[in-house]
Amino acid sequence: AELAWSPAEQLALQGLRWLPAAMALLYAAGLWDADSWVLSTWAKMLGTDFVRQPMAEAYVAAFSFAGWIILFSLLDALPLERFRIVPFSSDSKPAHISLMAMLAILGVFGAIGTPFGSMGPLAVVLVLTAVALSTGTVDLFRADTELMTYTIRSVITFLVYIGAIQAIHFFREPKPSNLGSISFAQLVAELVAGLFAYDFLFSILHFGMHKLGPYASDHRQHHQLSGFSGRVIALDTVNHGLMDGSLQVLVNIFVQNLALFGGPKHKLSRFLHNVVVTGLLVESHAGYDGFWSSHRLFPWVLGGAKRHLAHHHHGKKYYQQFFLYLDDLLFSRLS
């Protein structure tokens, strides 16, 4: 059913929808010096040790996933039922899981001292421990072993990803990326091209995994609903089998190394690609139908949570990750 938008929500929807076009027009007309802003931002980033680390992109991807999942898990705890595709008043369990998972992950990073040193992560661990004790997270986990199992699996997925990228770098040096100057136009072009390439390649693999049957691919794990929620949640974005997750990572590595414009992709574009891809993936699982949702902002381009939750519920349609054209022109006919 269509939501009855308030005037403020309608205004916010239209403002967010037309903001990219307005920015592009101002930039093209020379009324907004976006190039200077991009160059200034990049110069500041390049002055840090983090950017030049071989594992920097992997860390950005992993912690972007974590950040988006935490955001939507916190939203689940708020009374936002009217903005949810699957109605529920509020659910704090995803937030509790996110809290315990970050406790474990930051504890590991604090122990090994990479890439943030030891003091920072361990200080955050102390704060999160106090939050977990004061908000009843520890008691909740003691009473529900499924939450603990799900959390452990999420933490293992995070650490295995980081470890796998580290192992790849051990056997093969990462290809050099462009660290020079970059314009706003180049940043946008490389970002959009990367999104289309990732979506095209993995959507075909995704369709193929479904056609192999439930026992020929470990993708079936991704479609299993947890007993504690009974619905798809943001955390389920990274709830997948080894083959499924490996294919996603390999496709992303391949896309990041495509020389789409005659040379290596700029490092800033690669960072932004990981932030946006993880955001779109998590949003499509979180199940929100708000004025900020991608399928509301650009319904003629993006499927968002509306299509992806329909895919999880039915499993025989809407295989494309972000966009619409493969589902509408190809997969719907092949199905």
Side-chain angles (χ1 to χ4, degrees):
E2 289 296 316
L3 289 175
W5 301 102
S6 70
E9 290 165 351
Q10 292 177 9
L11 181 63
L13 172 64
Q14 295 302 323
L16 291 171
R17 174 177 291 170
W18 294 107
L19 179 60
M23 293 170 65
L25 287 173
L26 290 173
Y27 175 69
L31 299 175
W32 175 41
D33 188 9
D35 291 339
S36 295
W37 179 78
V38 170
L39 285 172
S40 175
T41 301
W42 176 237
K44 292 176 182 177
M45 292 176 63
L46 198 57
T48 65
D49 293 332
F50 176 80
V51 167
R52 298 180 184 273
Q53 291 186 29
M55 288 290 295
E57 289 178 44
Y59 290 133
V60 169
F63 281 99
S64 292
F65 260 131
W68 289 115
I69 288 171
I70 290 168
L71 172 63
F72 282 105
S73 296
L74 290 174
L75 288 180
D76 283 354
L78 300 177
L80 299 173
E81 184 172 0
R82 65 185 297 263
F83 294 120
R84 293 177 177 127
I85 296 174
V86 177
F88 63 93
S89 57
S90 64
D91 182 5
S92 63
K93 287 182 180 178
H96 287 293
I97 293 172
S98 299
L99 174 58
M100 292 297 280
M102 287 310 300
L103 259 171
I105 290 168
L106 290 176
V108 171
F109 279 96
I112 63 177
T114 303
F116 312 110
S118 295
M119 295 305 296
L122 293 178
V124 176
V125 165
L126 290 175
V127 173
L128 293 181
T129 301
V131 173
L133 291 171
S134 62
T135 57
T137 300
V138 175
D139 293 334
L140 182 64
F141 272 68
R142 286 173 177 167
D144 193 337
T145 56
E146 186 183 4
L147 291 182
M148 180 62 73
T149 301
Y150 190 97
T151 303
I152 292 172
R153 190 166 60 191
S154 300
V155 172
I156 290 173
T157 299
F158 187 104
L159 297 178
V160 165
Y161 166 72
I162 294 295
I165 300 299
Q166 188 75 66
I168 291 173
H169 289 176
F170 179 80
F171 291 104
R172 181 177 179 178
E173 287 289 324
K175 291 183 178 180
S177 54
N178 185 356
L179 298 177
S181 61
I182 179 174
S183 66
F184 177 74
Q186 179 186 348
L187 179 65
V188 173
E190 290 185 336
L191 173 64
V192 172
L195 290 176
F196 269 93
Y198 174 86
D199 178 74
F200 176 81
L201 293 173
F202 190 75
S203 294
I204 291 174
L205 291 173
H206 183 207
F207 180 79
M209 284 189 282
H210 275 268
K211 293 307 168 185
L212 285 174
Y215 298 103
S217 165
D218 63 0
H219 182 66
R220 65 185 182 276
Q221 178 179 323
H222 185 64
H223 283 266
Q224 293 172 351
L225 296 179
S226 58
F228 63 83
S229 66
R231 59 184 173 85
V232 181
I233 59 177
L235 283 150
D236 288 329
T237 312
V238 293
N239 177 28
H240 42 56
L242 181 61
M243 185 187 78
D244 188 359
S246 298
L247 286 174
Q248 289 197 41
V249 172
L250 291 173
V251 166
N252 200 54
I253 292 173
F254 176 78
V255 168
Q256 290 283 56
N257 286 286
L258 286 176
L260 297 172
F261 298 100
K265 190 174 182 179
H266 197 279
K267 194 77 166 179
L268 182 58
S269 302
R270 295 165 75 109
F271 285 149
L272 188 57
H273 169 95
N274 283 341
V275 174
V276 175
V277 164
T278 55
L280 288 173
L281 287 172
V282 175
E283 187 233 5
S284 69
H285 291 82
Y288 281 86
D289 186 24
F291 58 84
W292 64 85
S293 298
S294 60
H295 64 272
R296 288 290 184 180
L297 294 175
F298 310 107
W300 54 90
V301 178
L302 297 170
K306 185 176 181 179
R307 281 203 174 190
H308 198 68
L309 258 65
H311 168 73
H312 270 265
H313 293 154
H314 304 289
K316 295 184 179 180
K317 61 179 180 178
Y318 303 145
Y319 301 95
Q320 196 162 6
Q321 295 288 284
F322 306 144
F323 301 107
L324 310 175
Y325 66 95
L326 285 176
D327 277 323
D328 294 344
L329 300 177
L330 180 62
F331 297 151
S332 60
R333 302 178 192 277
L334 295 176
S335 295

